[in-house]
Amino acid sequence: MNTELEQTLCCRIEQSIPIPLRVHFNCKAGELLAVVGPSGGGKSTLLRMLAGLSLPQIGHIQLGERILCDTDKHTILSPAARHVGYVPQHFGLFPHLTALDNILSGLDHISKSLRKPRAQKWLETMNLSHIAHRRPRHLSGGQQQRIALARALAREPQLLLLDEPFSAVDWETREFLYESLFHLKSSLNIPVVMVTHDLKEALLLADNMLLMDNGGMLQHGSPQQVLTQPASEIVAKQMGIKNVFSGVVEHEVSALSGSCLNWQGIKVETPYQSSLMVGEHVRWMVPNSGIELFNDLSLVTRKNCFVGTLVSLLDIGDMTRIILRVNANEQVLHLDLSVQVVKQLGLTQGIETVIMLNSSCIHVFSSSD
């Protein structure tokens, strides 16, 4: 029997009130699905519905062969019956209980003789054995977060739900928790659904992403898919892609030669799209990874190469944020490069450089987007 198939989470939810929500997705065992979007977009509501703490107007939630919720058939399992580990935004620890007792509080479903050994095992797993008898007010944010995670995992859940799990901890602790979760998600072999508004966090940890806005599902796919082939301009902006432009399909296109856009007076070659029509006005984007700079101005004769001027350079940590202006059409490009690469290329404000747009990285939005 395929145990991975058994543990796949399948979800379809639709409702208009009190919070609009329209989503459908799958999450396999051993995978982490990051639900990303602005505040008030329905992310936490979705998580509560998966946990059984809220009921959708119309919905079907299935974990393997077990139906957790089916509003058509009036099948609604209680939170306790769902075998779900849930870590809320502010951890939900009992202030009057010690770290050990907080974990024990989630183990009422197993015999008393097994509870303490299991709680102690998860304290050790999270490197928290030394604070077992401290209460939450004497713990750091990172320690409280790990206690909440240990309590959820000690239940040996079939599904793990994390609501903004790292928002209340410092960067050093966050790095440790990222690594811990990265190793845990595959060893647990259960679906993990994490709500976050932090795009970098999602890109770092997620196997798949679900982008939401105003309760609707904008796109569902791997981080690479969403970054390089956003379903719409809204998704591109939500992913932090700044280089989005207008263009006109210039001549006949084919699978062999690709497509050609007129970008404010200069030609840009893009991958072939059968849906494009000559003369059609489109929007297109290129991610940071699709832009390269060269010192040799003779390279401007190559495909998708243009002379540009460096308008500004701003160092942010070990990265430099660059603004470029394409000389031929005055269009502005944004690019992030490592400080080391900037030094190697000798990039300074005001100099001219060759900008190359990798045609395979360019994505043209369909007219329906």
Side-chain angles (χ1 to χ4, degrees):
M1 187 176 291
N2 189 330
T3 55
E4 183 175 297
L5 181 62
E6 280 187 32
Q7 294 303 318
T8 295
L9 171 68
C10 303
C11 175
R12 177 183 54 80
I13 289 172
E14 292 183 26
Q15 72 171 30
S16 55
I17 56 172
I19 297 176
L21 204 59
R22 301 173 307 281
V23 294
H24 56 88
F25 63 87
N26 294 343
C27 181
K28 295 179 181 178
E31 287 187 350
L32 187 147
L33 173 69
V35 182
V36 186
S39 298
K43 304 185 303 297
S44 294
T45 299
L46 169 62
L47 223 58
R48 289 179 58 83
M49 289 178 178
L50 293 174
L53 301 173
S54 297
L55 179 65
Q57 285 181 312
I58 302 172
H60 180 93
I61 304 170
Q62 187 166 338
L63 185 57
E65 296 180 352
R66 298 175 62 236
I67 296 176
L68 308 186
C69 172
D70 190 322
T71 53
D72 290 340
K73 298 179 180 178
H74 304 288
T75 300
I76 311 291
L77 292 190
S78 68
R82 295 191 184 201
H83 304 296
V84 169
Y86 177 55
V87 180
Q89 279 189 34
H90 302 292
F91 314 139
L93 298 179
F94 297 111
H96 62 288
L97 298 181
T98 64
L100 177 62
D101 288 338
N102 262 284
I103 299 175
L104 287 170
S105 69
L107 299 178
D108 291 342
H109 62 295
I110 62 174
S111 63
K112 286 187 177 181
S113 62
L114 297 176
R115 293 175 192 174
K116 192 168 184 179
R118 186 181 293 185
Q120 289 172 328
K121 170 201 162 188
W122 278 102
L123 278 171
E124 186 177 341
T125 300
M126 294 293 176
N127 295 325
L128 293 172
S129 297
H130 61 291
I131 55 94
H133 300 293
R134 294 185 194 172
R135 289 181 169 80
R137 67 176 179 274
H138 299 303
L139 303 176
S140 68
Q143 288 171 333
Q144 290 184 47
Q145 197 277 346
R146 281 185 280 165
I147 291 297
L149 186 56
R151 181 175 63 183
L153 294 174
R155 293 182 57 83
E156 296 184 344
Q158 295 177 6
L159 169 65
L160 179 61
L161 306 174
L162 307 172
D163 194 355
E164 300 279 5
F166 311 118
S167 59
V169 299
D170 59 73
W171 179 251
E172 185 177 354
T173 304
R174 195 176 298 184
E175 288 283 295
F176 170 80
L177 293 170
Y178 287 165
E179 189 173 337
S180 299
L181 183 56
F182 183 82
H183 293 298
L184 275 171
K185 69 174 184 177
S186 55
S187 62
L188 291 171
N189 199 35
I190 59 174
V192 180
V193 180
M194 178 183 76
V195 159
T196 180
H197 66 273
D198 190 320
L199 182 59
K200 291 182 180 178
E201 192 169 274
L203 293 172
L204 179 67
L205 295 171
D207 299 288
N208 283 292
M209 298 173 64
L210 175 65
L211 272 71
M212 295 181 62
D213 188 36
N214 292 323
M217 188 173 77
L218 299 178
Q219 190 167 353
H220 179 215
S222 70
Q224 183 65 14
Q225 283 177 315
V226 180
L227 264 178
T228 60
Q229 295 182 311
S232 66
E233 191 170 340
I234 294 174
V235 172
K237 289 179 178 178
Q238 200 173 104
M239 294 299 290
I241 296 170
K242 297 181 178 179
N243 298 309
V244 182
F245 307 101
S246 296
V248 180
V249 182
E250 189 161 82
H251 58 63
E252 293 294 336
V253 293
S254 70
L256 291 176
S257 62
S259 303
C260 183
L261 304 179
N262 184 314
W263 178 35
Q264 303 296 316
I266 59 179
K267 293 181 179 180
V268 174
E269 292 190 30
T270 74
Y272 171 68
Q273 283 185 225
S274 60
S275 60
L276 297 180
M277 303 291 292
V278 175
E280 181 181 356
H281 289 258
V282 296
R283 296 283 283 172
W284 62 278
M285 55 131 295
V286 59
N288 192 83
S289 58
I291 305 173
E292 292 186 67
L293 303 182
F294 299 94
N295 288 327
D296 187 355
L297 294 181
S298 68
L299 295 175
V300 74
T301 57
R302 294 187 180 182
K303 179 176 71 174
N304 285 4
C305 287
F306 321 106
V307 176
T309 302
L310 270 76
V311 177
S312 69
L313 297 91
L314 175 64
D315 290 341
I316 303 176
D318 59 353
M319 299 297 293
T320 299
R321 188 152 292 170
I322 299 171
I323 297 178
L324 300 141
R325 185 180 64 249
V326 180
N327 293 356
N329 62 7
E330 298 295 311
Q331 293 294 294
V332 173
L333 285 160
H334 298 262
L335 177 63
D336 289 342
L337 291 176
S338 70
V339 170
Q340 183 180 3
V341 170
V342 169
K343 288 180 179 177
Q344 288 173 349
L345 292 174
L347 301 178
T348 57
Q349 186 174 342
I351 70 165
E352 288 190 335
T353 185
V354 172
I355 305 165
M356 187 186 80
L357 306 183
N358 187 330
S359 60
S360 66
C361 296
I362 293 173
H363 177 67
V364 181
F365 301 109
S366 70
S367 57
S368 61
D369 292 338

